[in-house]
Amino acid sequence: MTEFEPFEAFGDLDEISERLESPDPSVRRLAVIDLVETSSGEAIPLLVRAVGDPAAEVRLQTARALGEFDGVDVATAFVSVLTDSETDVAQAAADSLAELRDSAASTALLPLATHSSAFVRAAVFRALKALQVDASLGPAIAALGDADARVRVQAVGVIGYLKRTETLPSLIHATRDVNADVRLAAINALSFTRNEVAAQAAADALSDGEWQVRAVAAETIGRIGQISVATALIRSLDDGYWQVRQKALQSLGKLRARPAVAAIIPFLDDPLPSLRKDAAAALGDIADPKASDALGARAQDEDPDVRKTVIWALGQIGRATNP
């Protein structure tokens, strides 16, 4: 976002304003660019005016330019470009809207949370996520019932960014959404807590039909840090997708799950070097002496990263055994 400071060398605002009235759309478009270059808050009223330009190319440039400014007036201007008849203009506005950082801008955005257009609703919740204002929580929870999955995904983002323990029931409910993107966003959002119920919800998602959701669930368990669901992670070491197995290995290491050692050791011989490395790292984090022999046998692994990790893991076990 531009911080408004005195400007120079980019022309006078009065002169730029005159060019915004030119009959030539290309001249007006360049005038919009010059408004951004001024880095002046005084340019905002002129940008607001350009939002209604008859030429789509000028409105497109204006939608992009608005992302360089901040505040309530800018947020208000986005209302017009978000509903522009040209798809490119509306999409540029949605992208720029996400750059707002002034929490006061939420006053202009919140009324759009129930707009008739799902595109607008999704764009507004995407912007509200970064603003992290308390007033957005109620509309976001209500939007978890929105008919459009794009809106539900962005609403989950708002809830997750606010990191309120009282929202856990709503997030957990969203982990069972019919749409995989919503489920993925909701499971990821659970990472802020250390709650055992949230960990169980992530563990339940390890049986999701989409491997991407299962991978995020495995990673989220490690972030939540609840050893009580380690058994579910151990079962995920048999998942058909290596990405899920990898996240499970990493999380088991973070949990320092000693019961997982026997299940992790075979991964030291996995065909994928990345899994061999993660297995060694997990065993090093757990630091169970029972893994020493298996690690020692892999100290000459053909992959240098695996070898380094194995040596590190053996050192971890040594320090844990002889503090």
Side-chain angles (χ1 to χ4, degrees):
M1 285 294 172
T2 296
E3 293 193 9
F4 307 136
E5 299 174 352
F7 63 92
E8 53 183 307
F10 293 108
D12 182 83
L13 279 175
D14 290 337
E15 184 270 332
I16 296 175
S17 178
E18 289 180 8
R19 285 192 280 130
L20 285 173
E21 299 298 329
S22 170
D24 187 342
S26 62
V27 173
R28 301 198 301 274
R29 187 180 71 83
L30 290 174
V32 170
I33 293 174
D34 285 344
L35 284 174
V36 175
E37 296 296 337
T38 66
S39 299
S40 169
E42 295 178 7
I44 293 176
L46 297 179
L47 284 173
V48 171
R49 193 174 84 199
V51 161
D53 195 280
E57 64 183 279
V58 179
R59 298 197 304 277
L60 176 60
Q61 192 64 55
T62 304
R64 293 169 176 165
L66 285 169
E68 300 297 323
F69 297 85
D70 215 333
V72 176
D73 291 341
V74 174
T76 301
F78 273 119
V79 175
S80 296
V81 278
L82 273 175
T83 56
D84 197 279
S85 58
E86 294 290 333
T87 302
D88 289 348
V89 176
Q91 186 59 59
D95 293 340
S96 294
L97 181 62
E99 297 299 318
L100 287 174
R101 292 296 179 269
D102 184 351
S103 59
S106 63
T107 59
L109 299 180
L110 283 168
L112 298 178
T114 55
H115 193 276
S116 59
S117 165
F119 173 83
V120 172
R121 297 196 301 275
V124 165
F125 280 118
R126 181 185 174 198
L128 287 170
K129 175 175 67 175
L131 298 181
Q132 297 184 46
V133 291
D134 292 343
S136 65
L137 184 56
I141 290 176
L144 293 179
D146 198 282
D148 195 292
R150 295 171 300 173
V151 179
R152 300 198 301 277
V153 167
Q154 298 303 333
V156 165
V158 171
I159 297 168
Y161 265 52
L162 287 172
K163 299 181 179 179
R164 301 292 184 78
T165 303
E166 63 267 28
T167 64
L168 281 178
S170 296
L171 287 176
I172 290 171
H173 178 76
T175 66
R176 300 186 289 271
D177 194 275
V178 295
N179 182 272
D181 289 335
V182 179
R183 297 197 303 274
L184 191 152
I187 293 163
N188 191 52
L190 293 174
S191 298
F192 79 87
T193 183
R194 297 293 177 268
N195 185 284
E196 189 169 357
V197 176
Q200 185 58 56
D204 291 343
L206 291 172
S207 59
D208 194 276
E210 299 291 334
W211 73 262
Q212 295 93 335
V213 176
R214 299 197 302 274
V216 169
E219 183 176 22
T220 297
I221 290 171
R223 291 175 178 169
I224 293 174
Q226 286 287 339
I227 190 68
S228 60
V229 295
T231 301
L233 275 177
I234 294 172
R235 287 196 296 268
S236 286
L237 293 177
D238 292 326
D239 195 277
Y241 284 80
W242 69 265
Q243 295 94 332
V244 180
R245 300 195 297 272
Q246 182 175 51
K247 295 300 182 183
L249 284 169
Q250 292 169 355
S251 287
L252 285 167
K254 290 180 180 178
L255 295 176
R256 292 177 169 77
R258 288 205 169 200
V261 168
I264 294 173
I265 286 175
F267 283 90
L268 293 172
D269 292 321
D270 196 275
L272 292 176
S274 61
L275 291 188
R276 299 201 301 275
K277 177 182 175 181
D278 285 323
L283 292 171
D285 285 331
I286 296 169
D288 189 331
K290 293 178 182 177
S292 295
D293 291 344
L295 285 166
R298 277 75 173 184
Q300 300 303 317
D301 192 281
E302 62 184 23
D303 186 279
D305 287 336
V306 176
R307 291 198 301 272
K308 286 191 291 187
T309 307
V310 166
I311 293 169
W312 170 84
L314 286 168
Q316 290 293 100
I317 292 173
R319 282 186 285 276
T321 306
N322 302 295

